Amino acid sequence: MMISALKRVLPTSAKRRMKQSKVVHRLYRDGRGLRARPLFMNIELTTHCNLSCRMCSHDLLPPEDLGHMPFDRFRRIVDQAEAFPGIVFLLFGLGEPLLYPRLPAAMDYVHHRFPKAPIGLSTNAHFLRGDMAEAVLNCDKVTISLNAGSPETYRWLHRSDRYEEVTDDITSFLELRSRSPFYKEEKKPFVSLCFLETERTLCEQDSFRRRWEPLLGDGGEVYVKRLVNWGGAVDVSALHRKRGDTASRYPCIYLWNSLSVDIHGNVYPCMQCYGRRRSSALCMGNVGDQTLAGLYCSDSLAEARRLHLADRYSQIEDCRECDIYRLHRNIWFRLPLPLSGRRWL
């Protein structure tokens, strides 16, 4: 109750720090049963994408994994989310969600079944115009992967020459949002404009902020994003910004707070599994055979959590070289001596 009351009055920056706090996270985990239900769920609407980005695992997908999620399957997944009160719906995966033919209907269905449930999208903004831009206004949060501050760097990262057109569309979308009643009343959708942190983009970061922060206003942010290697499936070592941090590894929070469902209905604890979906050791099953609630309580997920808390990441192929855990601060407490096999609490 106390945390809920604080969240209503605190500014966005303070809420973000609360989410990263070890103490607050432990209170939240104990109070709401973090181990009993996920906080958010990725639903992969499509695996079609118009780009071939050098830092993405999309190019690893075989032809048989390219397609759209059948709408009946989408509705079944959303219906089963009733088992997870308060869940956030993230309607994206390895594809570009704005290419999903029934995206507006998908968002409408979520709002119909769960009127208060937040909806998030992540897009490259190549189709963020016209009717689709109007539809996206119904989201609570839109993450836009621009990632670069110049046409040359954008071409290098995304292998696309449409930087100017995309930035024009983003600007037009922000202007459209400013006239929306959703934005005037609730500052929605919140827009997170991504800038990818690499050795090559580093010199553009300040100018990127100067250009976009005034346009984003109170209802948005420039999000400086670290590269991830998609469960070790993508070699991004040559792109990384060189850092001095040498912190040891810690358990990945995604095993406790998320679910990801691909276009075929296969369920994983983390979206990073999408890049190796045909061989993923973390696939818990399919929504055609079991309910989401049953899959989330599966023995395979419990075993993965146990191995993470024991510092035995190498025993899970998907996790062995994965670096997604670094996107969130360490909220665990390291034990001075192992306790029943655990190194973390």
Side-chain angles (χ1 to χ4, degrees), residues 174-208:
L174 293 175
E175 292 172 354
L176 178 68
R177 183 189 66 157
S178 68
R179 301 190 297 270
S180 164
F182 298 106
Y183 185 70
K184 291 177 180 178
E185 295 171 10
E186 302 182 51
K187 296 296 183 185
K188 294 180 181 179
F190 186 88
V191 175
S192 183
L193 188 62
C194 291
F195 179 87
L196 195 61
E197 187 181 63
T198 72
E199 281 293 297
R200 185 161 173 173
T201 59
L202 197 58
C203 63
E204 298 176 353
Q205 184 174 328
D206 290 343
S207 60
F208 190 92

Side-chain angles (χ1 to χ4, degrees), residues 240-307:
H240 267 299
R241 173 192 173 188
K242 294 178 175 57
R243 291 172 169 267
D245 54 310
T246 56
S248 59
R249 188 162 179 176
Y250 44 87
C252 181
I253 192 60
Y254 283 99
L255 292 179
W256 280 266
N257 70 4
S258 74
L259 274 182
S260 295
V261 189
D262 71 14
I263 60 166
H264 305 298
N266 297 315
V267 182
Y268 314 85
C270 174
M271 205 176 106
Q272 300 299 299
C273 301
Y274 286 164
R276 56 170 80 240
R277 65 186 72 197
R278 290 281 167 172
S279 60
S280 174
L282 290 177
C283 181
M284 295 181 280
N286 191 281
V287 293
D289 304 318
Q290 292 178 265
T291 65
L292 284 174
L295 292 167
Y296 191 69
C297 296
S298 66
D299 291 340
S300 60
L301 180 56
E303 175 65 5
R305 290 171 173 174
R306 186 187 68 80
L307 291 172

Side-chain angles (χ1 to χ4, degrees), residues 50-51 124-126 129 144-171 193-195 201 204-205 207-209 211-212:
N50 59 305
L51 295 179
N124 59 37
H126 278 236
R129 67 178 80 89
I144 300 176
S145 296
L146 182 57
N147 295 327
S150 69
E152 296 75 22
T153 307
Y154 187 82
R155 186 183 308 113
W156 171 70
L157 275 175
H158 295 286
R159 301 185 174 106
S160 168
D161 291 318
R162 296 196 64 244
Y163 177 81
E164 298 295 349
E165 294 95 323
V166 171
T167 54
D168 286 347
D169 285 343
I170 294 172
T171 301
L193 188 62
C194 291
F195 179 87
T201 59
E204 298 176 353
Q205 184 174 328
S207 60
F208 190 92
R209 288 188 180 277
R211 175 176 182 178
W212 292 107

Side-chain angles (χ1 to χ4, degrees), residues 60-128:
L60 301 177
L61 292 179
E64 57 267 29
D65 282 331
L66 295 176
H68 301 306
M69 177 178 284
F71 200 68
D72 286 346
R73 181 176 296 150
F74 172 78
R75 288 189 297 189
R76 187 186 314 128
I77 293 165
V78 173
D79 290 344
Q80 291 183 18
E82 192 170 23
F84 308 130
I87 197 165
V88 177
F89 291 87
L90 304 178
L91 305 184
F92 56 89
L94 276 192
E96 167 52 49
L98 272 56
L99 289 175
Y100 187 59
R102 303 196 65 181
L103 178 61
M107 292 189 289
D108 287 344
Y109 190 73
V110 173
H111 282 139
H112 167 69
R113 290 289 283 111
F114 306 100
K116 296 183 179 180
I119 297 176
L121 281 178
S122 181
T123 176
N124 59 37
H126 278 236
F127 306 97
L128 191 61

